[in-house]
Amino acid sequence: MKARSSQPIRWGLVALATIWMLIIVPLSAAAAPYAALVMDARSGEVLHSRNADTRLHPASLTKMMTLYIAFEAVENGEIGLDTPVRISKHAASEPPSKLGLRSGQTIRFRYLLRAAAVKSANDAATAIAEAIEGSEAKFARRMNRTAKAMGMTRTTFKNAHGLTESGHLSTARDMTLLGRHVFYDYPDYYNLFSRISANAGVKKVYHTNRRLLRNYRGADGIKTGYTRAAGFNLTASAERGGERIIATVFGGRSTATRNAKVAELLDLGFRRAPSRVAVHKPRRPAYMGKVGGGTPGGFGKKVRLVAAAAVKKSLRPQVRPMPETAPVAIAAKDDIEAAIKAAQAVDLAAAVEQPREAGATVLPKVKPEARPEDLVLASVQQPAEDPVQEVVTRLSTSGGRNWGINVGRYPSQYKARKVLLKTALNEMSTLDGSLRKVVKRRAGFDANFMGLTRETADLACRRLQAKQVTCFMIEPGGGA
């Protein structure tokens, strides 16, 4: 009798298990649909796609955009890599994966980048957003503006980390486009995504997908992502023999199966991609940053930009009244030109006699010609205040550019020249071709870079200020 009574129970358990396998499991799998896209990074040609335009949860693939904007902010002087960032309560409370930051803690911006790229730390991603835009909501709006400018037409960001949120959606195609932009637009920072481990300031962190990086030949990034709603996502890039393939997978069932699928797709890409193809880099989106003051709420530190730091009052000297009896230059046109050439020759010879330093232009010694004896030059009274003595340490190739920047006043000519050289080496991209000048003042020696356009001077100052270097712009005729 006992055996008979237990038989219905066993059949009931079997029925429940069958229902679970047939209904519950498929429903959970349906929460993370599969999508994929494979692209030749050199040309942007799509080599394979499946559900590539279906809007799905991107999970931590979102951090590719967070880091892209962070690189943009550093390049444009909004913030420096060594800028200290104060962690908010909101950032510290983000769920794992996280770096373990505490509310009120201060950490350098570069460590937040490493933690977000390598460990996929959610607290670091939120801190990056707040440091740049003041709040995560404002940062998300900037993410969406940048995505639209990139052509990511089916992406909407609601946060900086990728945790599941209503409306926070993207596609395999859009994430592949984003990965391509990261690689081509910021190649100097792309290596972050290939680091197996990194020093994140408070501790050493390890890459979330180091197995693929170690096991797939040529793999060098980019980003993993996982939530229950998204499944196991990955955008990966690999380079072999000059060919570069980017593949994105949404909805993987596990880390292992996702990695296997991405490896399969990368192999497919290398098989289908032509050996030789012209490289057509994607067009970099318009800069979506803004000039502003301090960060709302006090979280992070936004560097004051040049629009706020530029000289407000023109330093252009006023025209001095000339006496009615002032002598006038009396000379033939040829004699004037000869005198100018002679004066230039004297200045060049004097420049050559200056002590040579690294990076200085060495000119051949020029023997000045005698000035014409019959030339009478105008007599102008020398201003009594703040006499200027200039020491040229590098010839300008400015081609008529007449803006400059000042990087400080120093007690000696040697110190000013040393600072100019160090600054030029650290900021070669914007200061290349400029004229380094040491200007003697009563209170010391000004270190100036001259021969810049207004735009170049503005960008150089912003980038230097982001590196905690004192800098202000010098207008044409403004006391250079």
Side-chain angles (χ1 to χ4, degrees):
M1 294 295 294
K2 290 183 180 180
R4 290 180 180 179
S5 62
S6 64
Q7 187 173 1
I9 297 176
R10 287 199 297 271
W11 280 110
L13 293 175
V14 171
L16 287 174
T18 303
I19 292 172
W20 175 265
M21 293 298 295
L22 294 177
I23 299 177
I24 304 300
V25 171
L27 286 175
S28 64
Y34 173 81
L37 187 132
V38 182
M39 179 181 289
D40 187 331
R42 300 166 298 172
S43 63
E45 179 186 0
V46 175
L47 304 174
H48 168 79
S49 67
R50 181 176 174 186
N51 300 326
D53 295 312
T54 302
R55 283 164 57 85
L56 302 170
H57 297 285
S60 285
L61 300 189
T62 299
K63 294 186 180 76
M64 286 193 290
M65 180 60 82
T66 300
L67 289 161
Y68 184 96
I69 293 176
F71 304 153
E72 177 186 63
V74 171
E75 184 180 76
N76 286 278
E78 292 183 66
I79 194 167
L81 290 173
D82 291 315
T83 298
V85 176
R86 187 164 69 89
I87 304 304
S88 71
K89 183 178 180 180
H90 172 59
S93 66
E94 295 289 7
S97 173
K98 60 193 300 180
L99 185 59
L101 300 171
R102 303 183 308 276
S103 177
Q105 177 182 357
T106 299
I107 186 171
R108 285 195 288 173
F109 191 68
R110 68 170 68 245
Y111 294 137
L112 296 176
L113 300 183
R114 294 176 186 177
V118 177
K119 184 177 174 56
S120 195
N122 296 323
D123 51 357
T126 301
I128 289 171
E130 293 176 339
I132 295 174
E133 286 291 330
S135 73
E136 190 173 19
K138 290 182 179 179
F139 188 82
R141 290 194 287 270
R142 179 166 171 179
M143 294 169 74
N144 289 323
R145 294 195 303 269
T146 305
K148 183 178 180 180
M150 281 185 185
M152 298 170 63
T153 59
R154 297 183 60 79
T155 294
T156 304
F157 293 113
K158 294 295 185 71
N159 57 56
H161 40 67
L163 291 173
T164 303
E165 185 172 342
S166 178
H168 187 96
L169 300 169
S170 186
T171 69
R173 186 184 307 276
D174 282 359
M175 282 297 152
T176 307
L177 287 173
L178 175 57
R180 186 168 183 249
H181 272 282
V182 171
F183 175 77
Y184 279 111
D185 293 354
Y186 295 103
D188 292 340
Y189 295 97
Y190 180 76
N191 72 86
L192 277 174
F193 299 99
S194 64
R195 297 186 186 183
I196 300 298
S197 63
N199 174 18
V202 296
K203 64 181 178 181
K204 188 176 183 179
V205 294
Y206 295 89
H207 201 288
T208 55
N209 201 30
R210 51 190 178 275
R211 289 184 180 178
L212 182 70
L213 291 174
R214 285 171 171 164
N215 297 329
Y216 191 86
R217 182 169 61 88
D220 54 14
I222 304 179
K223 192 71 193 72
T224 61
Y226 168 76
T227 62
R228 288 183 180 179
F232 291 83
N233 298 350
L234 175 61
T235 295
S237 180
E239 189 272 337
R240 291 180 181 177
E243 300 175 15
R244 176 168 291 277
I245 302 298
I246 300 177
T248 296
V249 164
F250 276 62
R253 300 297 180 87
S254 68
T255 299
T257 57
R258 176 199 64 193
N259 287 354
K261 186 62 179 179
V262 168
E264 176 186 331
L265 293 174
L266 289 172
D267 287 342
L268 179 150
F270 283 118
R271 287 196 307 270
R272 294 186 179 180
S275 299
R276 295 183 181 180
V277 65
V279 175
H280 294 288
K281 296 181 181 180
R283 183 177 180 181
R284 183 182 289 200
Y287 172 51
M288 295 295 171
K290 61 180 181 180
V291 175
T295 303
F299 302 128
K301 177 182 178 183
K302 180 170 285 187
V303 179
R304 185 179 66 169
L305 304 186
V306 160
V311 178
K312 298 294 184 181
K313 184 177 180 181
S314 173
L315 300 178
R316 188 185 301 277
Q318 300 295 321
V319 178
R320 295 180 180 272
M322 296 293 293
E324 295 181 359
T325 57
V328 181
I330 305 173
K333 178 180 179 181
D334 293 341
D335 291 336
I336 292 176
E337 292 177 351
I340 292 174
K341 291 180 180 179
Q344 290 175 339
V346 172
D347 292 340
L348 292 176
V352 172
E353 295 302 323
Q354 295 295 332
R356 182 179 179 184
E357 62 183 84
T361 302
V362 179
L363 302 174
K365 292 187 177 182
V366 180
K367 183 178 180 181
E369 298 177 4
R371 296 178 182 272
E373 296 180 355
D374 58 344
L375 179 65
V376 180
L377 298 177
S379 175
V380 180
Q381 184 178 0
Q382 179 72 16
E385 298 182 359
D386 203 10
V388 176
Q389 176 184 346
E390 297 183 354
V391 179
V392 180
T393 60
R394 180 174 178 179
L395 290 183
S396 173
T397 57
S398 62
R401 296 176 294 181
N402 51 9
W403 283 74
I405 63 172
N406 173 277
V407 292
R409 180 171 291 177
Y410 302 93
S412 69
Q413 181 187 124
Y414 170 78
K415 178 65 175 177
R417 292 170 64 187
K418 184 177 179 181
V419 170
L420 284 173
L421 178 60
K422 181 179 179 180
T423 305
L425 293 174
N426 288 336
E427 190 53 44
M428 294 179 66
S429 61
T430 53
L431 296 177
D432 184 43
S434 62
L435 172 69
R436 299 202 299 271
K437 278 189 177 182
V438 176
V439 181
K440 185 177 181 181
R441 306 286 187 185
R442 286 185 175 180
F445 295 83
D446 283 359
N448 298 340
F449 288 92
M450 303 302 299
L452 301 168
T453 64
R454 188 185 190 285
E455 293 75 15
T456 304
D458 178 89
L459 178 59
C461 245
R462 283 191 281 121
R463 289 172 62 94
L464 290 172
Q465 286 176 334
K467 298 174 182 177
Q468 312 302 314
V469 176
T470 300
C471 179
F472 67 83
M473 292 171 61
I474 302 172
E475 295 182 354

